[in-house]
Amino acid sequence: MKLARTVKEVKEQVREWKRQGLSVGLVPTMGYLHEGHQSLIKRAVTENDRVVVSVFVNPIQFAPNEDLETYPRDLEADCALCENTGAAMVFHPEAEEMYGDGFTTFVDMTGVTKELCGKSRPTHFRGVCTVVNKLFNIVTPDRAYFGQKDAQQLAVIRRMVRDLNMNLEVVGCPIIREADGLAKSSRNTYLSAEERKAALVLSRAVFAGEKMIRDGERDGEKVLAAMTAMIEAEPLARIDYVEMVKWDSIEICHQIDGPVLTAVAVYIGKTRLIDNFIAE
Ligand code: PAF
C-alpha cells in the first residue's frame, strides 16, 4: 500500500490506474480509524479495483472553539488498518498542501445545511463541502463512501454531487455500533469511564424513537418528546438538538409520512456526540 502526501503523487497514481481501466473508490476520513471507517473501506474494496483512503483533519470544518488541536491522530495505526483492509493508497496531506498558496475558494450550500449540525456549527459544512470537493477533484473516484452516522453530511454531499453535476456515485453505509449500542466515533476516546456509560443515552433514545415509529407512531412531536425526556434524565447529558427532518430535503417535519431522519446531538461532559436513525 502506498502512502501519498502530495496531490501530485495521488494524481499520477490515479492517472495510471485509469489508463489501465481500473475503477477507483474513495473513502474520505479524518483518521483515527475504527470499525465504522473500516466498514466503508471494506465496502469500497468489494466495489472498486483500487481504493484510496484520505486521512486529513480538515482545519476549515472546525470552528475556533472546537477540537481541531485535540482531535485524535494515529497515522501508523490508520495505515495498518487500511493496508489490512485492502486499500491501495492512503492520502495524508499537510494542511499547507491542501490550503497553501493563497487559498480563497469555498463551496457553500443552503437548504440541506440549515438545520441540525448546520445550525449548531454554522461554518462546518462549508469546510466539509470544500474539502470533499477538492478530494473528488484530486482522486476523481468512481464511487465515494460516507457513513450514515453523519447523516446530514451524507445528504449534503449527495446534494452537492447532484447540484454540481459531479461524475461519481455517493454510497451511504450503515452506522456501526459498539456491542452496547454506542455509535462508533473517533471522539468516543474523549470520554471518561463515567461519561462512556452516560453516552449510552444517545443510542437508547435512538432505539426507543425508532421503535415508536416502527410500532406505528406517526406524530413526530411524540417521538421527539419521548427521546428528549430519556436524554434529559441523564445528569451528564446536555442536549444540543433532538430533531426530525425529511430525509431528502433536511427540512424540519412533525409528521411521519415518508422517510424521516431523526437526529440527536448531545454533549456528554465536554464531548459532543451525534446519533440518528432513518425510518418511514
Ligand atoms: O466525516 C468526516 O470524517 C469528515 O467530515 C470528512 C468527510 C472526511 C471531511 O473532512
Side-chain angles (χ1 to χ4, degrees), residues 183-249:
K184 299 245 183 203
S185 164
S186 305
R187 289 190 168 98
N188 291 347
T189 52
Y190 296 151
L191 302 168
S192 69
E194 195 191 358
E195 289 170 344
R196 172 68 183 72
K197 267 190 220 148
L200 284 177
V201 75
L202 278 90
S203 50
R204 276 207 309 273
V206 158
F207 298 154
E210 192 169 16
K211 183 170 183 313
M212 284 175 79
I213 298 180
R214 301 249 183 266
D215 288 350
E217 183 58 72
R218 300 286 96 185
D219 183 345
E221 303 274 15
K222 284 194 184 148
V223 176
L224 296 180
M227 292 173 66
T228 303
M230 281 180 83
I231 298 169
E232 282 178 345
E234 168 51 60
L236 293 184
R238 183 167 58 81
I239 292 176
D240 177 4
Y241 63 73
V242 179
E243 295 280 17
M244 186 175 289
V245 295
K246 292 182 183 163
W247 174 221
D248 52 353
S249 61

Side-chain angles (χ1 to χ4, degrees), residues 28-30 37 54 56 58 61 71 124 127-128 131-132 135 146 150 153 157:
T29 81
M30 297 208 300
H37 300 108
S54 61
F56 178 57
N58 175 34
Q61 70 187 70
Y71 196 84
H124 175 66
V128 170
V131 80
V132 169
L135 291 168
F146 296 87
D150 296 293
Q153 172 172 279
I157 302 294

Side-chain angles (χ1 to χ4, degrees), residues 136-195:
F136 287 174
N137 287 335
I138 295 164
V139 180
T140 59
D142 298 282
R143 294 172 202 86
Y145 296 79
F146 296 87
Q148 193 207 298
K149 156 93 180 338
D150 296 293
Q152 187 178 19
Q153 172 172 279
L154 175 58
V156 162
I157 302 294
R158 284 203 167 122
R159 186 77 255 170
M160 177 178 80
V161 165
R162 221 176 306 150
D163 286 356
L164 300 183
N165 308 98
M166 294 174 159
N167 205 10
L168 76 152
E169 185 191 341
V170 175
V171 183
C173 300
I175 298 176
I176 303 295
R177 297 180 179 280
E178 304 284 354
D180 60 7
L182 182 67
K184 299 245 183 203
S185 164
S186 305
R187 289 190 168 98
N188 291 347
T189 52
Y190 296 151
L191 302 168
S192 69
E194 195 191 358
E195 289 170 344

Side-chain angles (χ1 to χ4, degrees), residues 1 3 15 54 64 70 88 96 150 218 231 255 270:
M1 191 198 67
L3 172 61
R15 203 176 301 128
S54 61
T70 53
E96 183 63 20
D150 296 293
R218 300 286 96 185
I231 298 169
Q255 200 58 32
K270 288 193 173 130

Side-chain angles (χ1 to χ4, degrees), residues 63-88:
N65 61 332
E66 292 180 349
D67 57 343
L68 171 62
E69 297 309 326
T70 53
Y71 196 84
R73 292 158 168 92
D74 188 346
L75 182 63
E76 209 176 304
D78 290 347
C79 286
L81 182 145
C82 290
E83 183 154 29
N84 294 336
T85 314

